[in-house]
């Protein structure tokens, strides 16, 4: 079974971003959440999908991973820009490093823990 099939079978959001916060990968769950195909997500940052004034933890957590080079596990409140829907996620973000060890992006998984 190929890795894409495995990641698309999970009911969790799996994604990666480059150093500038632009998506480089998103699984089916992320595409469904954003209401967009992967081709319309890759290369865009969170301003295209989230109300970042209401979802400030998202960008703060990303920046912490990029700056510290350490993984973070946090709860994030995210507000979808298109619908205004508020969701709560348990999120794990980890640095992606190049061959020399420099942080070049991040990989993340987010589990929807919204009540109700």
């Amino acid at each position: 079974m190929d890795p894409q099939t495995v990641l698309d079978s999970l009911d969790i959001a799996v994604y990666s971003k480059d150093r500038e916060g632009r998506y480089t990968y998103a699984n089916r769950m992320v595409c469904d959440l954003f209401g967009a195909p992967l081709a319309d997500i890759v290369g865009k940052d969170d301003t295209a999908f989230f109300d970042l004034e209401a979802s400030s933890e998202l960008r703060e957590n990303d920046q912490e991973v990029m700056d510290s080079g350490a993984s973070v596990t946090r709860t994030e409140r995210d507000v979808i820009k298109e619908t205004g829907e508020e969701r709560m996620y348990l999120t794990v973000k980890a640095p992606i490093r190049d061959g020399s060890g420099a942080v070049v992006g991040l990989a993340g998984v987010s589990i929807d823990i919204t009540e109700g």
Side-chain angles (χ1 to χ4, degrees):
M1 197 171 308
D2 73 287
Q4 185 64 51
T5 301
V6 172
L7 293 174
D8 284 343
S9 298
L10 298 170
D11 284 334
I12 60 173
V14 180
Y15 48 89
S16 61
K17 298 177 184 178
D18 67 14
R19 187 89 192 161
E20 287 73 43
R22 296 177 299 230
Y23 285 90
T24 57
Y25 170 78
N27 73 340
R28 175 201 48 85
M29 183 85 167
V30 175
C31 293
D32 290 350
L33 179 67
F34 293 166
L38 182 59
D40 291 347
I41 295 171
V42 170
K44 293 184 179 157
D45 68 16
D46 288 320
T47 59
F49 307 106
F50 295 104
D51 175 347
L52 291 181
E53 285 189 27
S55 306
S56 61
E57 299 103 348
L58 190 155
R59 190 161 267 170
E60 291 165 7
N61 292 336
D62 286 4
Q63 196 61 51
E64 183 176 337
V65 171
M66 299 293 186
D67 292 345
S68 72
S71 297
V72 298
T73 301
R74 305 269 165 71
T75 302
E76 288 181 350
R77 175 181 169 263
D78 297 338
V79 178
I80 307 302
K81 191 174 196 174
E82 185 75 20
T83 64
E85 179 182 11
E86 181 179 323
R87 310 295 302 171
M88 293 298 295
Y89 292 94
L90 176 60
T91 298
V92 179
K93 295 179 178 179
I96 297 173
R97 299 177 185 277
D98 66 11
S100 68
V103 175
V104 295
L106 67 79
V109 295
S110 297
I111 302 167
D112 191 340
I113 58 169
T114 307
E115 295 196 22

